[in-house]
Amino acid sequence: MRIEELFKQHDVETHPVVKFNTALPLDLGAQNEALSKVDLNNEASFDQFIFNQIASSGKDVGIGGYGEVRSLYSRSELFEGEEPRTIHLGIDIWSKAGTPVYCPFQGEVHSFANRNVHGDYGPVIILRHKLMDLEFHTLYGHLSKSSIENLSVGQKISTGDQFAFMGTYEENFHWPPHLHFQLIRNMQGYKGDYPGVCKSSGKEDYLTNCPDPSFFIY
């Protein structure tokens, strides 16, 4: 059974991972020609591209990216290889640094780390959740350094608890402030990390293991 269907079937309360009233769908896909005019390795340029769109729309945040094919990862060696990784496995919520992040459903800290490599998550937290007999995980990337201070594996976090903040450009390792939010069925042995972007050849398996997390956002 799909995770979303199980929550609906049992009428289980959840909490949005970020509080907002209105959202602008943001396209960072490879077909967006506007991206070709942006210096993605320049903080001001990348920041303006994202936040000027949000401001001009009058919306609170920018949201998008699940399953999106992106060429922008070529700016980092982290995603390169014989077959580059281009498929985004989570949803990005773009907002100012310091924006609070909330627990969507009761759980505990599975793992955390500071992935301090250009293009990576920077500070990241992974929570483990269980509903009935179903165990699943949620990943929160591009957080502030303060979010992982005084954190411990196994620490309980309740539905609606504010437990992290979005990081600055420097903290979240050279991305404009945003939350990468990802739903993961099986962690496959990973701790403090899980791929947020996959190769096209692995798309089917990864998107099956990482279903659309929109249910915990809207």
Side-chain angles (χ1 to χ4, degrees), residues 103-175:
C103 180
F105 178 64
Q106 63 188 17
E108 65 181 34
V109 176
H110 170 275
S111 53
F112 57 94
N114 188 359
R115 308 292 301 177
N116 55 349
V117 177
H118 177 58
D120 210 329
Y121 291 126
V124 57
I125 297 173
I126 299 169
L127 302 182
R128 178 191 291 115
H129 312 270
K130 188 170 184 180
L131 177 60
M132 310 300 285
D133 294 326
L134 176 67
E135 182 176 285
F136 63 96
H137 305 77
T138 51
L139 180 150
Y140 309 80
H142 308 296
L143 304 174
S144 67
K145 288 182 180 179
S146 65
S147 298
I148 58 175
E149 294 175 354
N150 304 315
L151 203 61
S152 59
V153 172
Q155 180 177 331
K156 304 296 183 183
I157 302 182
S158 299
T159 303
D161 280 358
Q162 183 272 305
F163 70 98
F165 299 94
M166 294 187 195
T168 63
Y169 187 89
E170 294 80 14
E171 287 179 307
N172 71 43
F173 261 76
H174 305 147
W175 293 93

Side-chain angles (χ1 to χ4, degrees), residues 53-68:
Q53 291 183 72
I54 298 172
S56 63
S57 73
K59 306 296 185 181
D60 298 326
V61 300
I63 288 185
Y66 179 70
E68 192 170 60

Side-chain angles (χ1 to χ4, degrees), residues 75-90:
R75 73 195 188 101
S76 170
E77 294 181 358
L78 181 68
F79 304 99
E80 291 301 288
E82 186 174 341
E83 181 189 359
R85 292 191 286 146
T86 59
I87 311 295
H88 190 243
L89 299 172

Side-chain angles (χ1 to χ4, degrees), residues 35 38-43 45-46 49 71-72 75 169 174:
L35 274 173
V38 180
D39 181 356
L40 299 174
N41 282 311
N42 180 282
E43 176 183 357
S45 177
F46 200 175
F49 176 76
S71 59
L72 56 81
R75 73 195 188 101
Y169 187 89
H174 305 147

